[in-house]
Amino acid sequence: FVLLLSLATYSLSKLALKEDGLSAKMSSHDGMMGCLASLVKYLELFSDDSNHNQYELNEVSPHLYMRLDGAAFSGLNVMPGHPSEPVFSSLWGILNHCFTPQGQRLLSNWLKQPLLDCNKIKERHDVVEAFVEDSQLRQNLAVALKRIPDFFRIAKKVQRGKGNLQDCYKLYMAIKQIPLILDAFCQYSGPFETTLNCLFITSLRDYEQDFASYSELVETTVDLDKCDLGEFVIKHSFDEDLGELRSQLDSLEEQIDIEFNRIARLLNAEKGKGIKLDLSATYGHCCRVTRKDEKGLRNNKSLQILQTKKDGVSFTSPSLKSLSSDFKNTQKNYEDVQSGIVDEVLKVAAGYIEPMINLNHVIASWTAY
């Protein structure tokens, strides 16, 4: 037990964001410290250094929630018992119409911890009634939700150093939805306008300001046009070295196209039909013709056959092989330079983990309704 208390004390100093009165209160209570130590050990929080100084302690008042024991929880069919059970066999399955995973998780928590505070219960009823009576509000929010990711999962990926530009782009696109969400809430003029303002509007306006610098960062560094096509890269105009390498790649692509045209004329083949230019993971840039036209290749000593498959015969020329090798090396250098810039962007994104998680809670709260 002494070891547990020592672990709990160490946990407070390592994992918590700051020392406060609640930390001191827990330190003087052996039962609390023992529970904390067991929880930290079970979750293996010390196995990852990125967890250090990422948590805060919040005091929860148990009298605000109903405690359901195992028998009551099972008898009321609050949550599905087995994945194979019908969706509507549980209370959660009936009530769950959430558009987001964070909303589903919050609804699950609400059902597991029913409220006892009459004011809080009335507040939830008011929000539900506002959504029920205003179909336009529901529709506008549903449209905005299509671009809302799971902020909590993105925050955890960035915190652990496993994030990428796609995560940054998802967060950026979600932030762009905040004005639309605010506009939808502000258009509501029913009897629960004050409640919606206190629960959602004020917080969303604050987060819109918090993420303003982040949006500018993404717009400056990330090629948003290519993101729309599913390619997540840094703007080559953002960095001088990246721009130079991009110019070299463009020049090599032009030379490769010129060589491809020469080979097509040499074989008297029509581009796109009789002969095609492929980019192979093994051979790089190479040409391909159908197996019927293979005879023309074997009679030409300037062309080298690489492989024969059902879809055709792949081959190259000395010039095309050299250009492809140069392209591959330049592309490798380009990716190395870009990787360094991506790491810097992700470091900046890591500074927004706390507002990310807070925004996630606000989004989850109204999607759970």
Side-chain angles (χ1 to χ4, degrees):
F1 186 70
V2 173
L3 289 175
L4 280 176
L5 294 183
S6 299
L7 174 59
T9 304
Y10 180 71
S11 302
L12 283 176
S13 63
K14 274 291 185 181
L15 300 177
L17 289 170
K18 58 184 179 180
E19 290 291 333
D20 52 22
L22 184 56
S23 299
K25 181 179 178 181
M26 286 190 65
S27 298
S28 62
H29 196 295
D30 290 349
M32 289 184 181
M33 296 297 282
C35 291
L36 174 63
S38 299
L39 183 61
V40 169
K41 188 174 185 298
Y42 175 76
L43 295 176
E44 300 180 345
L45 296 182
F46 286 127
S47 63
D48 189 347
D49 291 342
S50 64
N51 287 324
H52 293 181
N53 298 321
Q54 296 295 328
Y55 295 86
E56 60 183 27
L57 295 172
N58 294 307
E59 192 168 5
V60 177
S61 301
H63 67 275
L64 296 178
Y65 305 96
M66 180 185 298
R67 182 180 179 278
L68 296 175
D69 59 21
F73 192 80
S74 176
L76 293 172
N77 292 321
V78 177
M79 300 295 293
H82 193 274
S84 62
E85 291 184 0
V87 176
F88 300 111
S89 63
S90 65
L91 183 59
W92 185 83
I94 294 172
L95 296 178
N96 179 29
H97 296 282
C98 302
F99 288 101
T100 63
Q102 53 262 52
Q104 293 182 12
R105 291 195 296 267
L106 183 59
L107 177 62
S108 174
N109 290 339
W110 284 356
L111 293 176
K112 293 174 183 177
Q113 294 179 310
L115 282 175
L116 294 177
D117 188 323
C118 291
N119 292 328
K120 290 291 184 181
I121 293 173
K122 183 179 182 304
E123 186 179 81
R124 288 185 184 177
H125 288 172
D126 290 345
V127 176
V128 171
E129 188 172 345
F131 285 144
V132 169
E133 292 181 346
D134 195 329
S135 60
Q136 189 62 45
L137 174 62
R138 296 198 310 273
Q139 292 175 7
N140 291 340
L141 292 177
V143 171
L145 278 176
K146 293 180 180 179
R147 301 305 294 264
I148 299 295
D150 191 337
F151 292 107
F152 182 78
R153 295 191 182 279
I154 291 178
K156 282 301 177 185
K157 283 183 66 177
V158 173
Q159 176 193 327
R160 293 169 180 166
K162 297 180 179 179
N164 52 43
L165 276 186
Q166 185 175 5
D167 296 319
C168 294
Y169 176 71
K170 285 181 179 179
L171 178 58
Y172 168 79
M173 292 304 297
I175 293 167
K176 287 298 181 183
Q177 303 305 308
I178 294 180
L180 300 178
I181 296 171
L182 279 170
D183 185 57
F185 277 121
C186 290
Q187 288 180 16
Y188 177 80
S189 58
F192 309 111
E193 187 175 350
T194 302
T195 302
L196 296 182
N197 185 71
C198 293
L199 291 177
F200 310 120
I201 296 176
T202 302
S203 298
L204 287 170
R205 282 175 175 161
D206 291 340
Y207 296 135
E208 186 178 24
Q209 293 297 320
D210 291 343
F211 282 103
S213 298
Y214 176 84
S215 296
E216 292 177 5
L217 169 71
V218 173
E219 291 169 355
T220 303
T221 58
V222 180
D223 193 331
L224 298 177
D225 292 333
K226 289 194 174 181
C227 286
D228 292 336
L229 301 175
E231 187 178 354
F232 303 94
V233 295
I234 297 292
K235 282 182 179 178
H236 59 80
S237 59
F238 175 73
D239 181 81
E240 184 176 347
D241 293 337
L242 206 62
E244 176 61 28
L245 289 169
R246 182 69 260 175
S247 297
Q248 294 178 24
L249 286 173
D250 291 340
S251 175
L252 287 168
E253 285 180 338
E254 290 180 6
Q255 294 178 60
I256 287 172
D257 191 56
I258 291 173
E259 175 63 10
F260 173 57
N261 291 334
R262 185 192 72 81
I263 294 173
R265 290 195 301 271
L266 180 66
L267 298 176
N268 195 25
E270 184 180 356
K271 291 195 307 179
K273 292 184 178 179
I275 184 172
K276 295 182 179 180
L277 181 64
D278 290 341
L279 181 58
S280 166
T282 305
Y283 302 108
H285 291 85
C286 58
C287 300
R288 176 167 54 88
V289 295
T290 61
R291 298 178 68 175
K292 294 179 181 179
D293 300 323
E294 183 180 359
K295 293 181 180 179
L297 297 177
R298 298 193 181 280
N299 296 330
N300 197 315
K301 296 182 179 181
S302 64
L303 301 177
Q304 176 189 357
I305 296 177
L306 300 173
Q307 64 179 358
T308 301
K309 289 185 175 181
K310 290 182 179 180
D311 61 347
V313 180
S314 297
F315 65 97
T316 186
S317 68
S319 179
L320 181 59
K321 186 176 182 179
S322 175
L323 289 170
S324 180
S325 177
D326 292 343
F327 183 90
K328 183 178 181 179
N329 293 332
T330 306
Q331 189 175 47
K332 176 65 168 57
N333 294 334
Y334 184 93
E335 290 173 353
D336 289 342
V337 174
Q338 179 174 251
S339 178
I341 300 173
V342 171
D343 289 342
E344 293 300 318
V345 172
L346 290 172
K347 286 180 182 178
V348 176
Y352 291 87
I353 288 177
E354 185 177 353
M356 252 191 270
I357 293 176
N358 293 334
L359 177 59
N360 185 74
H361 180 73
V362 174
I363 298 294
S365 61
W366 58 263
T367 57
Y369 288 108

